[in-house]
């Protein structure tokens, strides 16, 4: 069964600290993996996208890693800011004729002063 | 603004009424998707269009739900005889190749 799991379900960190979010997937055939940031009540916004051959990609203070062998990905946030408070969703695409995606349940991150 | 736009952003309706949401994708995008999202959950796939053709529908899309994309541009999602369980955010996304671009969503509250 194609599935994407994320941990932790929620996380509270102090402003300025780093954190790492995890994503495990059982999706086949794998095409790519993306991390999205979703502010409360808004649509998801893409942070990174990685294909099978890429194992790390950065976007400012966000760094995503991918281990295609173990089917795991992580999103590392450096020097967190209050505006990082959001849900972070891991999305895995299947290699099909169109962009069929499987969404993870998301990790809710709260950055507090 | 050249992003995906959705209308209305919020809708409160009485149980049993019909509602319609509209999505205007990014102009050159031929692929359009509808998702439903409830609080604390990731988006759930509802249906997919390539141009005007509806190529896939989730089993979540019951007989009360219908989606159209008549000219391969904008799309509508209609929910008939709404139920309280339909309360959710309805997200539209479009793509040309790989990247999905989401709209801001349409919140539906059924009272």
């Amino acid at each position: 069964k194609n599935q994407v799991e994320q941990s932790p379900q929620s996380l509270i960190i102090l402003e300025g600290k780093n954190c790492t979010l995890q994503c495990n997937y059982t999706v086949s055939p794998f095409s790519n993996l993306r991390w999205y940031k979703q502010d409360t009540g808004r649509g998801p916004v893409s942070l990174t996208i990685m294909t099978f051959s890429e194992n790390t990609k950065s976007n400012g203070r966000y760094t995503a890693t991918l281990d295609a062998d173990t089917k795991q990905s992580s999103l590392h946030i450096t020097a967190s800011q209050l505006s990082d408070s959001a849900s972070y969703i891991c999305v895995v695409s299947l290699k099909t004729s169109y962009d069929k995606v499987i969404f993870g349940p998301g990790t809710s991150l709260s950055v507090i002063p | 603004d050249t992003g995906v736009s959705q209308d209305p952003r919020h809708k409160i309706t009485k149980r049993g009424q019909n509602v319609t949401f509209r999505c205007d994708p990014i102009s050159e995008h031929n692929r359009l998707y509808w998702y439903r999202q409830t609080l604390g959950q990731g988006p759930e796939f509802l249906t997919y269009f390539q141009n005007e053709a509806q190529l896939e529908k989730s089993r979540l899309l019951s007989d009360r739900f219908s989606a159209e994309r008549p000219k391969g541009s904008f799309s509508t999602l209609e929910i008939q005889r709404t139920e309280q369980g339909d309360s959710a955010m309805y997200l539209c996304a479009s793509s040309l190749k790989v990247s999905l671009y989401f709209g801001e969503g349409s919140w539906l509250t059924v009272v």
Side-chain angles (χ1 to χ4, degrees):
Chain A
K1 179 182 178 183
N2 291 314
Q3 203 164 358
V4 177
E5 298 175 340
Q6 292 186 243
S7 62
Q9 183 176 12
S10 62
L11 183 63
I12 300 174
I13 62 172
L14 291 174
E15 185 180 11
K17 297 296 187 182
N18 304 335
C19 67
T20 300
L21 314 181
Q22 301 289 344
C23 173
N24 297 332
Y25 62 93
T26 54
V27 172
S28 181
F30 175 86
S31 175
N32 60 72
L33 184 146
R34 314 166 210 184
W35 284 93
Y36 281 85
K37 178 186 178 187
Q38 185 174 26
D39 293 316
T40 301
R42 310 291 296 273
V45 175
S46 179
L47 294 174
T48 64
I49 178 169
M50 289 182 291
T51 58
F52 185 88
S53 59
E54 298 173 299
N55 55 21
T56 188
K57 187 163 282 190
S58 292
N59 178 2
R61 295 181 295 103
Y62 301 101
T63 299
T65 64
L66 173 65
D67 185 334
D69 292 331
T70 61
K71 298 186 178 181
Q72 296 179 327
S73 175
S74 65
L75 180 69
H76 186 74
I77 304 174
T78 304
S80 60
Q81 300 175 358
L82 298 179
S83 59
D84 292 331
S85 295
S87 180
Y88 291 84
I89 305 175
C90 176
V91 182
V92 182
S93 294
L94 283 75
K95 193 174 292 183
T96 61
S97 58
Y98 70 95
D99 198 22
K100 187 179 180 77
V101 299
I102 309 294
F103 286 84
T107 291
S108 176
L109 174 66
S110 296
V111 180
I112 59 175
Chain B
D1 184 22
T2 58
V4 178
S5 63
Q6 293 188 242
D7 182 70
R9 289 292 320 280
H10 300 90
K11 178 75 176 178
I12 300 174
T13 190
K14 290 184 178 179
R15 189 173 51 189
Q17 297 294 305
N18 300 342
V19 296
T20 299
F21 299 114
R22 176 180 169 125
C23 171
D24 287 272
I26 294 172
S27 60
E28 64 267 26
H29 286 187
N30 59 343
R31 299 174 180 174
L32 187 145
Y33 308 76
W34 283 100
Y35 296 90
R36 181 171 69 186
Q37 186 176 24
T38 53
L39 282 174
Q41 302 295 318
E44 298 174 292
F45 171 78
L46 292 178
T47 190
Y48 159 73
F49 290 87
Q50 183 157 321
N51 300 311
E52 67 275 11
Q54 188 174 21
L55 298 186
E56 186 166 341
K57 291 169 56 174
S58 162
R59 56 182 173 78
L60 292 175
L61 216 65
S62 73
D63 292 345
R64 298 184 297 105
F65 287 72
S66 62
E68 294 182 344
R69 194 183 183 196
K71 297 182 180 179
S73 56
F74 74 92
S75 175
T76 57
L77 177 68
E78 181 183 17
I79 308 173
Q80 295 181 327
R81 305 180 304 281
T82 52
E83 302 173 355
Q84 285 187 321
D86 297 332
S87 295
M89 181 165 69
Y90 292 85
L91 280 165
C92 176
S94 71
S95 73
L96 181 60
K97 292 183 179 178
V98 176
S99 291
L100 274 178
Y101 294 84
F102 285 88
E104 294 288 26
S106 291
W107 282 99
L108 173 66
T109 302
V110 181
V111 298

